[in-house]
Structures are given as C-alpha cells and as structure tokens.
C-alpha cells in the first residue's frame, strides 16, 4: 500500500488563511442541462454514454462534486455514490450493482467490487445460462448481495471486494491488491490475499470519537473553518 504524501505548512497564520478563503468546491448541478444529459444517457449507446459522462464531469467540476453523475450511476448502473467520493465508482462496471458508497471515499480506478458469484450448484457456471444479456434466459436467477462501503474509506490499486462482503466500515483502508472476503471494521487497515487486519488507524477511544462526530455529514463549506484538524496528525490535536 503506497500513498503520496504532500508536506503542508501548518502555522496558525496559514491555517487562518485557508479557513477564511472561499471553499474550492461543493455539490454542483446544472438543473436544465444536467437533466437533458441525464436523459440522453438512457439511450444506452456506448459512444453517447461516454460523451455524456465526459460532459457532465467537465460541467460540474469533476466526479467529486457532480450531482448529475451520481444520478446517472444510481439510476443506470445501480451504484449509489456519496458526495465528495471519487475514483473507481465512476468507472462503468467497476462497482457492481447493489454497491452503496459513503461520502469522502477515495477509491482507485482499478478497484473492483462484486455482489454475486457464478452459480456452482447448477449444470453450468457459464453466464450464458443466467445472464439475460445473452438472450438465452428470460431473467437472472442469481441473487446479488448488497455491499455498503462507509465514509472516508480508502481502497487501493487493484483491490477486489468479493460478494461475501456486505460492509466496509467508516475510515477503513484496503491495501493495494487486497482480496477482501469478509466484512471490514471501521478504521481497520487490511492487506493481502486473503485479506487480514494488520492494524487499526487509531486507538479504540479515538475511533469511537470519530464515529460519534460523523464529520463526513458536513459539506466542504461547513468543514472549511475546521480545516486545521485535517492538516495535523490526529495525535497532535483533539477531534473534539
């Protein structure tokens, strides 16, 4: 698991300047044009859909802030994505239908979630015999699970979430290349194949306080006066 760390100045003067500056972004939507693009996406033509996604992302400040993009993925792909989350959830077919993702999550564009397996108790495991897309069967008999990925979750490059997983807790970190086969508790760091918990990001006391604070329910604008808390290691400050 790797991360790019950028050193930021944390003097009180700098923090005051950042807190008083205008927020860089919040939820964005174009009511009329966004609605037209949302409806155009229903044409199910690959070229049109690719074009719509590019236009929506450009018009609404990127996937992290786009309201219309979230409508598109929820309605047409069965993936619900919280505000300020970015990356893999907006790559078509990376997140399986039935995946619900919280706010402020960072998910690699190569990460994948799966909410069902091929059947192993039938004559064949081939998708020809359970996927209506191929025209042989009238409906899909394979049940999907419902995966919930929490808020402020970081999922690394090439991580795979299997159908046996129903919950990845708030603040969890999934290492690059991890194969997750069981639920992950809040603020756990998991790596490997199969995955294992290598540590927790914070002490039990701090985790309890973070979960109780529910800071992710606030918008970027609401969090801006508290930006100093997000620039310092949590051990150097208090989250209260």
């Amino acid at each position: 698991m790797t991360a790019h760390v950028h050193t930021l100045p944390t003097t009180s003067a700098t923090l005051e300047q950042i807190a008083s500056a205008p927020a860089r972004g919040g939820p964005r939507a174009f009511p009329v044009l966004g609605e037209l693009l949302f409806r155009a996406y229903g044409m199910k033509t690959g070229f049109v859909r690719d074009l719509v996604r590019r236009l929506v992302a450009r018009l609404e400040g990127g996937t992290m802030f786009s309201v219309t993009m979230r409508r598109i993925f929820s309605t047409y792909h069965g993936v619900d994505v919280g505000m300020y989350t970015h990356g893999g959830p907006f790559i078509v077919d990376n997140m399986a239908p039935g995946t619900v993702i919280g706010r402020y999550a960072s998910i690699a564009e190569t990460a994948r979630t799966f909410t069902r397996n091929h059947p192993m108790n039938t004559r064949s495991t081939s998708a020809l015999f359970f996927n209506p897309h191929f025209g042989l069967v009238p409906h899909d008999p394979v049940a999907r699970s419902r995966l919930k990925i929490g808020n402020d979750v970081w999922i690394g490059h090439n991580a795979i979430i299997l159908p046996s997983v129903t919950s990845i807790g708030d603040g969890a970190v999934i290492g690059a290349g991890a194969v997750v086969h069981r639920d992950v508790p809040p603020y756990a760091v998991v790596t490997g194949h199969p995955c294992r918990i290598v540590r927790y990001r914070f002490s039990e006391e701090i985790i309890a306080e973070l979960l109780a604070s529910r800071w992710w329910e606030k918008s970027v604008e609401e969090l801006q006066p508290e930006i100093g808390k997000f620039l310092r290691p949590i051990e150097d400050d208090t989250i209260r």
Side-chain angles (χ1 to χ4, degrees), residues 12 29 47 80 93 102 132 143 147-148 170 179 187 221 232 240:
S12 58
F47 170 78
D80 294 327
D93 294 332
L147 170 63
K148 182 177 181 181
D170 297 323
V179 178
Y187 289 92
E221 292 86 349
R232 290 186 291 265
R240 296 184 179 89

Side-chain angles (χ1 to χ4, degrees), residues 7-206:
T7 302
L8 294 173
T10 56
T11 64
S12 58
T14 302
L15 296 178
E16 289 174 2
Q17 291 170 3
I18 294 173
S20 61
R24 292 193 177 188
R28 300 176 189 173
F30 285 80
V32 177
L33 184 55
E35 182 65 27
L36 290 174
L37 290 171
F38 171 78
R39 294 184 181 184
Y41 200 83
M43 295 176 64
K44 297 184 179 181
T45 302
F47 170 78
V48 172
R49 286 191 161 188
D50 289 344
L51 178 61
V52 167
R53 289 196 305 272
R54 289 198 298 269
L55 287 173
V56 168
R58 185 169 182 177
L59 286 169
E60 298 185 355
T63 56
M64 189 177 286
F65 306 106
S66 173
V67 173
T68 303
M69 192 73 81
R70 284 162 171 77
R71 286 187 65 202
I72 285 172
F73 273 80
S74 178
T75 302
Y76 296 107
H77 299 291
V79 179
D80 294 327
V81 187
M83 192 56 63
Y84 312 113
T85 286
H86 69 104
F90 299 104
I91 305 297
V92 174
D93 294 332
N94 272 22
M95 305 288 111
T99 302
V100 178
I101 305 168
R103 293 157 65 94
Y104 295 96
S106 304
I107 300 177
E109 293 187 355
T110 52
R112 297 288 303 271
T113 71
F114 297 91
T115 53
R116 69 173 178 179
N117 282 313
H118 287 234
M120 293 191 292
N121 61 349
T122 54
R123 187 178 297 268
S124 174
T125 61
S126 172
L128 282 168
F129 304 110
F130 68 83
N131 190 335
H133 171 77
F134 297 104
L136 291 181
V137 295
H139 61 86
D140 187 346
V142 181
R144 289 187 180 274
S145 60
R146 184 87 169 161
L147 170 63
K148 182 177 181 181
I149 299 174
N151 304 282
D152 195 40
V153 169
W154 175 21
I155 301 180
H157 173 63
N158 277 346
I160 296 174
I161 316 299
L162 297 177
S164 54
V165 182
T166 60
S167 175
I168 296 176
D170 297 323
V173 175
I174 310 299
V179 178
V180 183
H181 66 291
R182 59 182 179 177
D183 289 358
V184 178
Y187 289 92
V189 179
V190 302
T191 63
H193 176 16
C195 75
R196 62 187 181 91
I197 298 174
V198 295
R199 65 184 178 89
Y200 285 84
R201 290 175 57 194
F202 307 111
S203 67
E204 290 184 9
E205 179 183 8
I206 290 178

